Amino acid sequence: MKRGFFVILFFVLLGNSMSVLAQTEPEDIAMATDEYQDSFYESLKQKGIENYDKAIVSLEKCIKLKPNDAVAYFELGKNYFFLKQYSSAQSSFEKATQLDPKNKWYWLGIYDVSYETKNYPLAIETIQKIIPFDEEYKDDLISLYMLTNQYDKALATINEMNDKFGKSDDRERYKLQILSQGKYQNSEIENLVTQIKQNPKEESNYVDLIFLYSKNEETDKALDVAKQLAKEIPNSEWAQVSLFKGYLDSNKADQAIKSMNVILSSSKIDSKIKHRTLNEFLIYVNKNPQYAPDLEKAIAYFDNDANVDVAKEVGKFYHSKGQYENAIKYYEKHLKANSDTDRETNLLLLEAYTQAKQFEPMTKRAMTMIEVYPSQPQFYYYAGLGSNKLQQFKNAKTVLEMGLDYVVDDKTLEGNFNIQLGEAYNGLGDAKKKEEYFLKANELLKQKK
């Protein structure tokens, strides 16, 4: 904002007061009496040493000598302002504007008072009278619209100023604040579409539009904008989003990988677009496993991403495809990079170990997790299952009997516990106990149906 002009004007007036007087009313100044000039200079001197009361007395003498002198009223308003006598300051500035309505500094005096007293409606009314003298004061108007929650007017003025003078940090910050409220996003989308049509070589408009579509989960629309950007500005980082998809669809893997690496390493591109890019490459690698090393490198870009556990999600993808060894690799990668005791990931890993028949690491991890989650029955189950598969029947019996006490309202899990207990007793040579647990498991499975 451009407030704080009083200090500047003070030095101008003190150093060359006659130039200010000459600017305002040259004929009156030429006719001014020595008494008027002495009083005016005295007011400047007293103001300079912060004797505002004495400055006011001198200025009142000036006004008595020249009742229609706008400069004297303006100076009077400044001294009242410094004394925080805002009502008197406003009256003095208003009198100055009545005598010389074309002098923007007089209107700025009223603006300063209204702003200082938080009379924002008057500040808005006043700044609108200043704008014809200097259009850049619309930035002050934007600030006032933000203060008074007039976001629709603020957004319209921001777009107008951006179009005329280019973007500024303050305006962009205000715009982000406004657009965080969804109801204003549609009008901004329309504005950006118009801006792109009018100036197709301005990258920032494409980027802002892609950001809004991504925020609204309209990823397809965001990709369409990226495609348009690629056509107009091929060397843009954002253009790589569209080029990547085209290369992948055309099975041009090497070019697609280059574009993907630009996207994932970019500090400008939205994280949702990055995740979408990685997911598309993951699907491609599933059909073309020779590019798995490039997938590994791509995942590394997300090591510090606090929003999405990428390695874990990749593990789930391979899990759902029945590629359990790949799933294990990414679950282990996730646990190594994050919390090694994450409950969900460990349960997924134990299930993948089971399907891949990797019973030794499964048993070891399950036993470790029992120490962390002593009342979590699934970990006892996997520890018992693994021990049975490793023919460690005594250990299986012990851990399964402990874990069974924690099973509550889960017939399937309880049935599985009984099956594994039957297997443990069978391995220990106790046929009676084996049959007992198998029969119980059968009854539980019937209840489940």
Side-chain angles (χ1 to χ4, degrees), residues 333-432:
K333 180 180 176 69
H334 168 75
L335 289 169
K336 186 176 180 180
N338 298 279
S339 170
D340 191 52
T341 57
D342 176 65
R343 178 181 170 275
E344 182 191 26
T345 308
N346 273 286
L347 288 171
L348 288 166
L349 177 58
L350 290 169
E351 170 62 20
Y353 278 143
T354 304
Q355 297 297 335
K357 303 186 186 309
Q358 295 185 21
F359 300 117
E360 189 169 340
M362 181 187 82
T363 305
K364 183 178 179 181
R365 179 162 287 273
M367 291 299 292
T368 299
M369 295 309 296
I370 287 171
E371 295 177 13
V372 181
Y373 297 100
S375 61
Q376 191 69 49
Q378 287 94 333
F379 294 126
Y380 290 91
Y381 169 73
Y382 283 113
L385 171 63
S387 295
N388 274 334
K389 294 296 184 181
L390 295 171
Q391 298 187 354
Q392 298 171 1
F393 301 115
K394 186 175 181 181
N395 183 65
K397 168 185 168 296
T398 301
V399 77
L400 287 165
E401 287 176 342
M402 289 174 60
L404 189 58
D405 290 337
Y406 297 108
V407 179
V408 179
D409 297 330
D410 189 336
K411 300 296 183 184
T412 300
L413 182 59
E414 189 177 351
N416 287 334
F417 261 89
N418 280 278
I419 290 171
Q420 291 306 315
L421 277 165
E423 294 287 356
Y425 276 107
N426 182 54
L428 292 169
D430 191 334
K432 184 178 178 182

Side-chain angles (χ1 to χ4, degrees), residues 144-162:
L144 290 166
Y145 282 147
M146 295 300 293
L147 283 168
T148 54
N149 300 321
Q150 299 183 63
Y151 297 129
D152 50 347
K153 292 181 180 179
L155 185 59
T157 310
I158 287 169
N159 289 332
E160 180 187 346
M161 290 292 283
N162 284 349

Side-chain angles (χ1 to χ4, degrees), residues 139-183:
D139 279 325
D140 288 63
L141 183 59
I142 291 167
S143 298
L144 290 166
Y145 282 147
M146 295 300 293
L147 283 168
T148 54
N149 300 321
Q150 299 183 63
Y151 297 129
D152 50 347
K153 292 181 180 179
L155 185 59
T157 310
I158 287 169
N159 289 332
E160 180 187 346
M161 290 292 283
N162 284 349
D163 189 40
K164 192 158 190 176
F165 297 103
K167 295 180 180 179
S168 75
D169 291 342
D170 284 345
R171 276 184 243 125
E172 289 305 289
R173 187 177 70 254
Y174 286 144
K175 180 179 275 194
L176 283 175
Q177 183 180 336
I178 294 168
L179 295 181
S180 65
Q181 304 180 49
K183 64 179 181 178

